[in-house]
Amino acid sequence: IIDQEGNITSEQVSEKSELKPCVFEYIYLARPDSVLNDISVYEYQLAMGTRLARKIQETKWPIDVVVPVPDGSRPACIQISAELGLPYREGLVKNRYIGRTFIMPDQKTRSSSVRRKLNAMSAVFEGKNVLLVDDSIVRGTTMSQIVNMVRKAGAKRVYLASASPPVKHANVYGVDMPSKRELVMANLTEEELCERLGADGIIFQTVDDLLEAGRELNPNIVDFEASCFTGHYLPDVDAEYLEAQEVSDRASRSEAVIT
């Protein structure tokens, strides 16, 4: 702690500790030019793309073009395009004056912001089978509207690939998504989500691939904090605390997923 006079006070609160970085930082929060815990965020996101491309190959989807959902998914999408030998195109133009919809306070604001945030170019999508790559699918607010925009721009089929696993659990360590009620995959199967989003197919990264990518880039890290994907929290987070989050004022004001 640095007080107003510039004095530094520090205290070690645990004699035995183990570094478990939040894996969501590497997927969503950190800039690609960042290096966290000796792991290049850009190299990590490329590794996610490599692993996801292997899963996409197994689907046998008739893909014509690979398009990122700007901005966070670009490194993974570029790598997927390279691995699959498919054209990479920028088909969604972003209004850079609109913030990230994921952290906006209510569903109405998020929905209106998506429409102002992105524009789909028919020059890219007309008559094509499209693979859209996003870094994550949290509430589903953005993706459902993007699929609709891409279809209106002329796409024949729209397939979705998420560079992260399904977000099914609350993050209680600082990311602004405390309630499971807000998470579109909390109570849906992948098939149900695909239908709800209006897509022709959907695929997610696996938790094992997500964590292994980090370990390969820094073998000194044994494990990562991935509770929003796994539901496994540190011991001080119990069921009573999570239930309190669900009935909090913010949770009660938030709508569940997609309108």
Side-chain angles (χ1 to χ4, degrees):
I1 299 173
I2 303 177
D3 62 24
Q4 292 181 344
E5 285 74 39
N7 301 310
I8 300 176
T9 303
S10 63
E11 181 180 350
Q12 183 172 339
V13 296
S14 175
E15 294 183 2
K16 295 182 179 180
S17 61
E18 180 182 351
L19 177 63
K20 292 187 177 181
C22 175
V23 76
F24 203 65
E25 281 202 71
Y26 298 89
I27 298 166
Y28 192 88
L29 299 175
R31 286 173 25 157
D33 57 346
S34 302
V35 177
L36 305 177
N37 305 296
D38 294 325
I39 296 175
S40 162
V41 173
Y42 185 74
E43 290 182 357
Y44 180 83
Q45 293 177 353
L46 291 179
M48 290 198 305
T50 297
R51 286 163 170 76
L52 190 54
R54 295 170 189 160
K55 293 192 66 179
I56 295 169
Q57 282 180 318
E58 297 173 359
T59 67
K60 307 298 183 184
W61 289 339
I63 302 168
D64 298 318
V65 64
V66 182
V67 177
V69 176
D71 288 308
S73 66
R74 280 198 179 97
C77 188
I78 289 170
Q79 192 65 14
I80 289 170
S81 169
E83 295 283 343
L84 298 180
L86 293 169
Y88 170 94
R89 295 291 183 269
E90 293 280 351
L92 296 168
V93 179
K94 182 179 180 181
N95 180 345
R96 299 188 180 278
Y97 297 98
I98 303 296
R100 305 205 77 164
T101 55
F102 159 64
I103 58 175
M104 290 180 178
D106 56 73
Q107 181 72 22
K108 183 178 180 180
T109 303
R110 290 190 292 268
S111 296
S112 62
S113 294
V114 171
R115 291 190 293 270
R116 290 182 283 119
K117 177 180 179 179
L118 295 171
N119 183 49
M121 293 192 294
S122 58
V124 172
F125 295 117
E126 184 70 43
K128 299 288 178 47
N129 296 323
V130 180
L131 175 66
L132 293 178
V133 180
D134 205 355
D135 50 17
S136 58
I137 298 176
V138 181
R139 293 184 175 95
T141 307
T142 302
M143 187 55 72
S144 62
Q145 296 188 55
I146 289 174
V147 171
N148 185 48
M149 283 191 288
V150 170
R151 290 198 185 280
K152 287 183 177 180
K156 290 195 299 184
R157 293 189 180 96
V158 181
Y159 301 102
L160 305 179
S162 170
S164 72
V167 179
K168 295 184 176 183
H169 305 277
N171 185 304
V172 297
Y173 301 121
V175 181
D176 188 21
M177 55 174 187
S179 173
K180 280 185 68 173
R181 294 176 63 249
E182 300 175 79
L183 307 177
V184 70
M185 281 299 290
N187 297 298
L188 295 179
T189 65
E190 291 186 16
E191 292 75 16
E192 290 169 335
L193 176 63
C194 186
E195 182 178 355
R196 182 171 292 195
L197 297 179
D200 295 288
I202 191 168
I203 195 166
F204 286 87
Q205 188 81 263
T206 67
V207 175
D208 287 344
D209 279 347
L210 193 74
L211 303 183
E212 188 59 33
R215 295 190 193 104
E216 286 185 2
L217 291 168
N218 185 350
N220 294 320
I221 298 178
V222 178
D223 201 5
F224 290 81
E225 199 294 303
S227 57
C228 58
F229 305 120
T230 65
H232 300 149
Y233 297 92
L234 296 176
D236 59 339
V237 178
D238 55 20
E240 183 178 353
Y241 177 85
L242 295 173
E243 179 62 25
Q245 292 296 312
E246 291 300 309
V247 297
S248 67
D249 289 340
R250 184 181 184 281
S252 63
R253 289 196 305 268
S254 300
E255 297 176 32
V257 280
I258 299 172
T259 57

